[in-house]
Amino acid sequence: MNNKKKQILWNIAYVLVVVGIGYFIYISSSKVNYIWRWKNVPSFIVYKAHEDIESPVKGIVEDYKNKTVYIKTLDGKIKTIKVEHPEVKKGDVVDTTDEIGYNESYKSGPLLVGLYMTLKISFLAIIAAIIIGLITGLMRISSNPLLKNLAITYIELIRGTPLLVQIFIFYFFIGTVFHLDRLVAGVGALAVFEGAYIAEIIRAGIQSIDKGQREAAISLGMNYYQLMRYIIMPQAIKRTLPATAGQFISLIKDSSLVSVISITDLTKAGREIITSTFSPFEIWFTVAAMYLILTYTLSLFTQYLERRMAKGE
Amino acid sequence: MNSIIEIKNVYKTYPNGIEALKDINLEIDKGEVVVVIGASGSGKSTLLRTINQLEIVDKGQIIVDGVDVTNPKTKLTTIRSEIGMVFQHFNLFPHLTVLDNVTLAQIIVKKRNKKEAEDIAMSLLTKVGIADKSDVYPTQLSGGQQQRVAIARALAMKPKIMLFDEATSALDPEMVGEVLDVMKSLAKEGMTMVVVTHEMGFAKEVSDRIVFMDYGKIVETGTPDTIFTSAKSERLRQFLSQIL
């Protein structure tokens, strides 16, 4: 009981500290001469598009119902035009290209478009990184020196150089030689980079499986593929799930670096908005929050998977 | 020629320099139960594991059911599926249920259909007295139960030979009996068995022949009677006096 009280006390302390830090940030930001314009921010995520509708014909407005304007042309035909907000009345005479009203619709703002690009790049890179990591991880533990050394060279090269530099090399060198689209170069650089880390995770996972599992499987007559597919990998993947998920979260965050080769991902979208609005604080906070939503969702999903998989044992 | 296993002039040295097997020669007949005894480190487990080539030999020849398993060109998966093996630490697949443990290799190696594999699995699980646990995962079973599942898993492949590598050594004393009982009934059915064990009672009661190994060599072989009552070598008498 006493212990429980202590826990509550410390949790209250936690809330106070967080609020305190928030207050400190607020105070310090109010000291700089900066005008906060939070109310503009939502429009960069979703905005209401205004589309003027022009009359395609010359004629007289006959009627308006069901969000449709009926125009009677000079030769007596009825022309129907969808308009949600008409600005003409019954009996008005309209000429071609005269404005008869406008439509409104919700459109994705640049940040949401950028978020979609970040998701797309990350998703493609994760798939490719899994394939690269799986193959390299298996090569890494192979007894064949060619495969093993190739894998080690790749892993060491990639892990020993910065991702930013790799993206430049991928785009400016490999991209130029093979005429790669910037998106392909970006996804490729990310996949090659994260693949090296996933290879090491997979290697560690496979090596952590008791050697008796291998012996039991091959003594039953399984070949290498069957051993890996049915015995080793299911156990290794389960064991490495937390580390792999961490790597995927890293990948989503690292994907912000592809903005340097002019891919309009979430980060680049943020930068572009800032050049026109001069509201860097709000935009960067919003961009950070959007990344956090992505990574936290992935983190929750992994926790769910772990719990579900843990039931087996 | 009735022998199903022929081991000829086999040598094996581990990378750390330990000579595990030195000039081993042994023939085992069909239906014979051979128990290999010896102190730990005498090479008895290594010898057993060379029969299905879990250990690759350096020199010599091993022929199992007419197939030279020491020939690098031999496709080992086929012959291995015909040699059942039971390990000291069971080595059940922890991510699969008991039933799946017994059916998996039947389906993917022997290409039996699921229904057939499950029927065989259930009849074997019944035989080893564990049919009611077919849906649980191995970690929920006791050691003795796990080992009986492991025996059923090996038997499901319809092997011609069964190898037991200290199958009862990792068990709590009260569970040794249940596993030995399964092994005894197998022996009675005429299964060819090679058993590495410290259970001298089992060796006396069930085996047709006992092989005593010491420092990588076969020192003496004989029927249980001759081994236990009139051992020729001093080393064997010493070993028996320590263990009995």
Side-chain angles (χ1 to χ4, degrees), chain A residues 210-224 226 230-232 234-235 238 311-313, chain B residues 49 52 54 77 80-81 83 85 87 91-96 104-105 108-109 111 137 139-140 153-154 157:
Chain A
D210 182 61
K211 73 175 185 2
Q213 293 289 307
R214 179 187 159 271
E215 291 182 349
I218 66 171
S219 78
L220 288 164
M222 289 187 207
N223 58 33
Y224 179 79
Q226 292 166 333
Y230 295 101
I231 307 301
I232 305 295
Q235 296 184 61
K238 196 163 162 180
K311 276 183 190 160
E313 280 179 75
Chain B
R49 290 155 59 88
N52 66 354
L54 283 185
T77 51
R80 276 178 181 147
S81 73
I83 307 173
M85 184 152 191
F87 300 86
N91 300 348
L92 292 178
F93 307 130
H95 61 301
L96 301 177
L104 177 65
I108 65 173
V109 177
K111 312 288 179 203
Y137 286 89
T139 44
Q140 291 163 267
R153 178 178 68 178
M157 304 301 281

Side-chain angles (χ1 to χ4, degrees), chain A residues 153-181:
Chain A
T153 309
Y154 158 70
I155 291 167
E156 291 304 322
L157 273 180
I158 294 299
R159 296 208 305 177
T161 51
L163 174 57
L164 188 57
V165 174
Q166 288 172 24
I167 290 173
F168 283 136
I169 292 176
F170 230 93
Y171 182 56
F172 290 112
F173 177 65
I174 301 175
T176 309
V177 173
F178 293 101
H179 304 288
L180 295 184
D181 174 60

Side-chain angles (χ1 to χ4, degrees), chain A residues 71-91:
Chain A
I71 297 172
K72 190 174 187 179
T73 55
L74 295 178
D75 50 6
K77 282 181 186 154
I78 302 286
K79 179 85 185 167
T80 61
I81 307 141
K82 291 255 174 221
V83 183
E84 278 176 37
H85 304 277
E87 287 166 333
V88 286
K89 292 191 302 290
K90 208 167 165 177

Side-chain angles (χ1 to χ4, degrees), chain A residues 28-280:
Chain A
S28 9
S29 68
S30 64
K31 286 210 171 118
V32 292
N33 193 9
Y34 185 82
I35 303 154
W36 292 84
R37 294 194 196 87
W38 277 109
K39 69 173 174 46
N40 290 344
V41 170
S43 70
F44 298 124
I45 299 170
V46 179
Y47 68 93
K48 216 181 225 176
H50 181 105
E51 187 195 0
D52 289 330
I53 308 291
E54 293 172 349
S55 172
V57 290
K58 204 181 230 181
I60 299 164
V61 178
E62 271 280 299
D63 202 359
Y64 174 76
K65 57 189 176 199
N66 299 331
K67 297 189 171 170
T68 311
V69 174
Y70 295 82
I71 297 172
K72 190 174 187 179
T73 55
L74 295 178
D75 50 6
K77 282 181 186 154
I78 302 286
K79 179 85 185 167
T80 61
I81 307 141
K82 291 255 174 221
V83 183
E84 278 176 37
H85 304 277
E87 287 166 333
V88 286
K89 292 191 302 290
K90 208 167 165 177
D92 279 359
V93 178
V94 291
D95 202 347
T96 326
T97 72
D98 273 359
E99 199 183 315
I100 54 169
Y102 63 93
N103 283 348
E104 276 181 338
S105 58
Y106 285 100
K107 291 239 164 76
S108 305
L111 284 182
L112 207 60
V113 174
L115 181 78
Y116 172 71
M117 180 54 98
T118 289
L119 258 176
K120 185 170 143 189
I121 291 171
S122 302
F123 180 75
L124 292 175
I126 282 173
I127 302 294
I130 290 174
I131 296 167
I132 294 172
L134 203 60
I135 294 169
T136 327
L138 289 172
M139 281 166 67
R140 177 73 182 73
I141 53 168
S142 161
S143 52
N144 180 324
L146 169 71
L147 299 179
K148 188 177 173 171
N149 288 331
L150 275 177
I152 292 175
T153 309
Y154 158 70
I155 291 167
E156 291 304 322
L157 273 180
I158 294 299
R159 296 208 305 177
T161 51
L163 174 57
L164 188 57
V165 174
Q166 288 172 24
I167 290 173
F168 283 136
I169 292 176
F170 230 93
Y171 182 56
F172 290 112
F173 177 65
I174 301 175
T176 309
V177 173
F178 293 101
H179 304 288
L180 295 184
D181 174 60
R182 65 179 82 241
L183 186 68
V184 176
V187 169
L190 271 177
V192 165
F193 179 77
E194 306 292 341
Y197 288 86
I198 290 175
E200 280 296 272
I201 292 171
I202 287 174
R203 176 194 62 79
I206 291 173
Q207 286 179 340
S208 77
I209 305 298
D210 182 61
K211 73 175 185 2
Q213 293 289 307
R214 179 187 159 271
E215 291 182 349
I218 66 171
S219 78
L220 288 164
M222 289 187 207
N223 58 33
Y224 179 79
Y225 167 77
Q226 292 166 333
L227 163 73
M228 283 295 162
R229 159 76 178 76
Y230 295 101
I231 307 301
I232 305 295
M233 291 316 285
Q235 296 184 61
I237 286 170
K238 196 163 162 180
R239 216 169 273 190
T240 55
L241 196 62
T244 313
Q247 202 56 48
F248 290 163
I249 289 171
S250 286
L251 188 149
I252 290 177
K253 293 184 291 178
D254 291 343
S255 76
S256 70
L257 286 174
V258 300
S259 62
V260 298
I261 55 169
S262 285
I263 294 175
T264 310
D265 70 332
L266 184 50
T267 303
K268 181 133 192 298
R271 262 198 346 234
E272 281 170 358
I273 294 166
I274 289 162
T275 52
S276 60
T277 61
F278 307 107
S279 307

